[in-house]
Amino acid sequence: MKGMSLIVRTIARVVTTFIILYSAYIVVYGHITPGGGFPGGVILALGIMLLMLAFGKDLPLRKLPEGRASVLDCLGALGFWAIALLGFTAGYFFLNFLGKGEPFRLVSAGTMPLSNIFIGIKVGVSLFAVLTALSVYRRFYPPGEEPPEED
Amino acid sequence: MEVLLYALLGFMVVGCIIAVEIKDLLSAVVSVGIVGICLSVVFLFLGAPDIAIVQVVVETLCLIILLRATVQRDDTTIYKYIESFAVATILIFSGVFMVLAYRAFKDLPSFGHPLMTVSQEYLREGLAKTKAVNFVTSVLLDFRAYDTLGEATVLFVSILGAIAVLRRRGRR
């Protein structure tokens, strides 16, 4: 995947920052405003995807190599499991064991913001991994019919 | 209000038919996009901003992936040929499903009729119990957290499988 023209690159460089900031907002405020871990994670993946479309596949892969992406993916999944299992410290699986706090505050609702953050990391990085798999690894071709070099 | 909803639904049906029938793959992908975006507008009208956000975002992602898959092909037009066996099988099995589903759905109570005591309990006690203002999140991550865990696990395993199938290095 080659990059695009100078105009696209400049716009993408500016806009990606805001997209990733917006995804962080959607994830962190998931228990107060509409949103949550899943849409925030997808928006994060879309921001990285914009970088990949504008600059070619090398830049995002340099920032976030495959190994680190899979580590982050597993970290998100394990974090969510850990929150679920930590409920046992107070009683049972998935118990909301942290203090609830006041409604309408950022730090409220116990484990929900933490779960949202872990789900956001997991979804974003794993969708990035899907894009990587589709664009970097060559597709499944029957033997003998090797594809032409990647554009 | 209802007229607008029906108009959007009709627009979605037209988009589906165009996506199936058109020969140019790029136009088919764009028509599929129309369906998704209309669906997110419908969710907004029905008062579900959470699902509307998810719908529009996931639709964009899917469209980009589909576009990348179609644009890479040299020849984006397909030539129509119909496998009559496949069509006949699909028709027969949808007919069987329709008959069985009609018999099964006849016994179901009508929409919203058994008073949904569990959900009403959630609605009444949700804010006091979880202190989360966004009720959807409090259902997703507290009352029904098992479902979210299952969904996250499904995503994790499917992506693991996709990478394992698609990668080239290390396949033995």
Side-chain angles (χ1 to χ4, degrees):
Chain A
M1 217 195 300
K2 276 201 296 263
M4 293 185 184
S5 68
L6 182 67
I7 300 171
V8 180
R9 284 168 186 239
T10 314
I11 300 284
R13 189 179 296 143
V14 176
V15 167
T16 307
T17 318
F18 291 107
I19 293 177
I20 292 178
L21 191 66
Y22 181 63
S23 82
Y25 163 77
I26 289 266
V27 168
V28 172
Y29 278 79
H31 57 297
I32 300 175
T33 55
F38 192 82
V42 182
I43 292 172
L44 176 67
L46 279 172
I48 305 175
M49 182 182 281
L50 178 64
L51 274 187
M52 193 179 254
L53 290 178
F55 288 90
K57 71 187 174 206
D58 292 334
L59 179 86
L61 279 183
R62 215 167 46 232
K63 301 263 183 211
L64 190 70
E66 300 159 49
R68 204 180 299 163
S70 80
V71 165
L72 274 176
D73 188 11
C74 299
L75 189 80
L78 285 180
F80 193 39
W81 266 102
I83 284 175
L85 287 176
L86 278 178
F88 275 126
T89 58
Y92 47 88
F93 199 57
F94 263 123
L95 182 66
N96 203 338
F97 62 93
L98 290 178
K100 301 275 169 53
E102 288 291 306
F104 292 102
R105 291 289 169 82
L106 183 57
V107 182
S108 66
T111 55
M112 272 179 221
L114 288 176
S115 310
N116 263 336
I117 289 171
F118 280 123
I119 293 175
I121 290 174
K122 207 205 97 53
V123 170
V125 177
S126 56
L127 289 178
F128 170 71
V130 165
L131 192 73
T132 315
L134 284 178
S135 69
V136 174
Y137 308 137
R138 273 176 267 171
R139 246 104 27 100
F140 215 89
Y141 284 88
E145 262 183 65
E146 291 301 308
E149 273 303 310
E150 188 75 23
D151 52 332
Chain B
M1 180 68 198
E2 285 220 338
V3 178
L4 199 59
L5 273 184
Y6 282 124
L8 279 172
L9 286 178
F11 203 52
M12 280 157 65
V13 171
V14 171
C16 287
I17 294 173
I18 291 176
V20 172
E21 288 295 325
I22 206 162
K23 288 203 179 106
D24 187 27
L25 279 182
L26 200 58
S27 316
V29 171
V30 172
S31 314
V32 171
I34 288 174
V35 178
I37 302 295
C38 280
L39 193 60
S40 92
V41 177
V42 167
F43 281 141
L44 269 186
F45 274 118
L46 292 177
D50 281 273
I51 313 178
I53 290 175
V54 174
Q55 174 64 35
V56 74
V57 162
V58 171
E59 187 65 34
T60 314
L61 188 93
C62 292
L63 275 189
I64 292 175
I65 289 178
L66 277 179
L67 272 182
R68 236 191 94 61
T70 43
V71 167
Q72 245 183 5
R73 294 172 53 143
D74 299 329
D75 184 17
T76 57
T77 53
I78 47 174
Y79 300 103
K80 199 180 221 171
Y81 74 101
I82 296 176
E83 274 190 71
S84 48
F85 175 72
V87 173
T89 319
I90 289 169
L91 282 181
I92 288 172
F93 277 100
S94 355
V96 170
F97 173 75
M98 289 287 187
V99 171
L100 293 181
Y102 177 71
R103 291 181 62 114
F105 289 157
K106 220 168 46 178
D107 295 337
L108 282 183
S110 56
F111 181 68
H113 246 285
L115 288 174
M116 294 181 283
T117 45
V118 179
S119 2
Q120 279 184 349
E121 183 78 16
Y122 289 166
L123 278 176
R124 236 183 302 115
E125 306 275 329
L127 183 61
K129 275 191 175 162
T130 65
K131 299 280 204 285
V133 187
N134 184 5
F135 183 68
V136 177
T137 304
S138 76
V139 169
L140 274 181
L141 291 180
D142 200 315
F143 294 120
R144 297 272 183 214
Y146 276 105
D147 292 353
T148 311
L149 187 67
E151 170 236 304
T153 312
V154 165
L155 191 67
F156 186 70
V157 172
S158 62
I159 284 162
L160 211 66
I163 290 178
V165 168
L166 285 169
R167 75 177 171 175
R168 204 177 175 75
R169 242 179 314 143
R171 197 193 298 146
R172 296 199 182 91

